[in-house]
Amino acid sequence: MMSQEDLKKQLMALREQGLKFTDCVHVFGVPVDTNTYALAAKARADESFDTMALDDDAVIADTTLGGAWVSCWIRIEDKEASEYRNTRLLMIVDLDERGVFKAHVDDMEGNIILTLSNEEDEDGELSLVRDGFIKHPRDTEGLLVYLKEMGMAPESASLEIQG
């Protein structure tokens, strides 16, 4: 019998080969009209048809709380989602050696919102350091303040560093 970790690795490999989540729903799900929990969820989704929906097959997860979780979809408008785009930022250090510093800041979707480099600067100092926005190249607190002040990140944003 394969371990959970081995099964996860196989599933990841299948995803890389084109397996979609909806394929898994058809395997693990049950037809909505054959399960009482799914029927109850469908009735609730029908009441709020503009924001919630079920697939023809629903995945049912039993709980110890006297009920079950039923998979369903909730529709989120682009405008609503965009409010969260830059809430969790990641500063990825690409190079930090022999006086050369390169990094970039990604939003949650992996889009680069800022690049940092001291290669073009004649004095070799990072411009955000020289201009007093941050204290050193890895100053995530100062960089986050800068991103907020420049309107590149909302007040609720956080910034982590990698590399």
Side-chain angles (χ1 to χ4, degrees):
M1 186 166 186
M2 297 183 79
S3 71
Q4 285 291 103
E5 195 59 37
D6 289 336
L7 290 171
K8 286 179 186 177
K9 286 178 184 176
Q10 280 190 343
L11 192 55
M12 293 291 287
L14 289 170
R15 184 177 79 176
E16 288 174 11
Q17 295 173 26
L19 179 71
K20 302 288 182 213
F21 179 75
T22 52
D23 299 326
C24 296
V25 170
H26 294 302
V27 171
F28 291 102
V30 297
V32 169
D33 61 354
T34 66
N35 183 283
T36 56
Y37 292 107
L39 287 169
K42 182 174 179 353
R44 189 179 299 174
D46 287 345
E47 290 172 9
S48 57
F49 67 92
D50 61 329
T51 60
M52 196 167 105
L54 269 78
D55 289 321
D56 291 336
D57 296 316
V59 177
I60 311 298
D62 295 327
T63 71
T64 58
L65 305 173
W69 290 100
V70 179
S71 65
C72 64
W73 299 97
I74 185 168
R75 185 174 51 82
I76 304 296
E77 297 287 334
D78 292 342
K79 181 181 176 187
E80 188 179 354
S82 69
E83 295 175 21
Y84 296 93
R85 175 169 287 132
N86 291 339
T87 57
R88 293 187 64 211
L89 304 173
L90 180 62
M91 176 182 174
I92 300 171
V93 177
D94 301 307
L95 181 64
D96 188 7
E97 59 185 48
R98 297 186 185 141
V100 178
F101 185 82
K102 289 183 183 181
H104 62 277
V105 178
D106 288 353
D107 66 13
M108 289 176 61
E109 295 172 350
N111 300 312
I112 296 174
I113 63 168
L114 180 71
T115 57
L116 306 163
S117 175
N118 66 352
E119 280 190 313
E120 302 290 320
D121 295 329
E122 291 179 21
D123 60 4
E125 190 169 29
L126 193 63
S127 62
L128 289 178
V129 174
R130 183 179 59 246
D131 297 339
F133 292 108
I134 60 177
K135 296 176 182 165
H136 53 82
R138 292 177 177 265
D139 178 9
T140 55
E141 289 179 29
L143 182 57
L144 184 57
V145 169
Y146 173 80
L147 293 169
K148 289 177 182 180
E149 286 180 2
M150 295 295 120
M152 300 169 79
E155 283 302 314
S156 60
S158 63
L159 177 64
E160 296 178 22
I161 190 169
Q162 176 182 314

